[in-house]
Amino acid sequence: RIVNVHLTPFQIKRGGGIRDAMTALSTTENIHAVEIEAIVAAIDCQSPTVVVGDFNSISTFLAPKRLVGLGFVDAYASVHENADTHPTWNWPTRPLPLALRIDYIFHTPHFVTTESEIVRREGSDQMGRTIGGSGDLGASGPEETDNLAVPVIAGGMQFEPRTNLAPYFFGA
């Protein structure tokens, strides 16, 4: 199963101060708690599953931590040291621009990520992501999207399965 998500973005008032930013962060985390629980309730963590998309959360926030706590693997972090130093989103704030990793590809332990990269795209504040390996699950290649926040899965959904997946797709 492939689940595409786009959690609620932070909404900070223009011209607001640090107190407004912290309130927005807290409010959005509360919304993400509800959203990620609805996602978790809709999936079977015991079946081969990929959860992909714009989480609008850094890896230490609630939604990504919830999936990791359930045994999901952060595909990019599984093959890159210091994954959070590789942003998938940036915004030209002053005096320093913001650059964060808020887009993810998570998968159940049925798979092993053999490669993953962040693809820079012109004309967007966010970059696509790719993952790869061996063992094709059927997609045909990179997908264009009007939501550039959604990670791009290139070359098909390619992972190396840890186990025989046939019973999950065709019955025992």
Side-chain angles (χ1 to χ4, degrees), residues 8-169:
T8 300
F10 291 93
Q11 297 182 11
I12 302 172
K13 294 189 311 188
R14 286 194 185 275
I18 191 74
R19 179 177 288 148
D20 292 328
M22 296 307 291
T23 299
L25 178 68
S26 177
T27 299
T28 305
E29 274 291 271
N30 290 336
I31 294 167
H32 286 180
V34 172
E35 292 172 334
I36 198 65
E37 288 308 316
I39 292 164
V40 166
I43 59 178
D44 176 4
C45 299
Q46 303 307 310
S47 295
T49 304
V50 177
V51 181
V52 57
D54 183 349
F55 282 73
N56 281 306
S57 299
I58 60 175
S59 67
T60 58
F61 284 8
L62 195 140
K65 282 177 59 174
R66 178 73 168 114
L67 290 178
V68 169
L70 289 171
F72 279 82
V73 176
D74 177 339
Y76 190 80
S78 73
V79 295
H80 293 278
E81 291 185 33
N82 303 315
D84 289 335
T85 64
H86 302 270
T88 60
W89 173 86
N90 63 55
W91 195 255
T93 56
R94 293 184 185 193
L96 299 172
L98 284 175
L100 304 169
R101 186 169 79 103
I102 62 171
D103 306 299
Y104 301 89
I105 299 170
F106 289 100
H107 60 78
T108 56
H110 297 91
F111 308 104
V112 175
T113 303
T114 56
E115 67 181 86
S116 180
E117 68 182 271
I118 298 167
V119 179
R120 309 251 179 253
R121 296 192 58 174
E122 296 298 320
S124 173
D125 62 346
Q126 300 189 340
M127 285 67 85
R129 308 251 335 264
T130 67
I131 55 175
S134 62
D136 196 346
L137 290 181
S140 61
E143 295 292 327
E144 290 298 320
T145 175
D146 60 348
N147 177 4
L148 297 178
V150 176
V152 178
I153 301 172
M157 264 308 267
Q158 297 179 1
F159 299 98
E160 184 168 311
R162 288 186 188 255
T163 60
N164 177 8
L165 300 178
Y168 294 103
F169 296 110

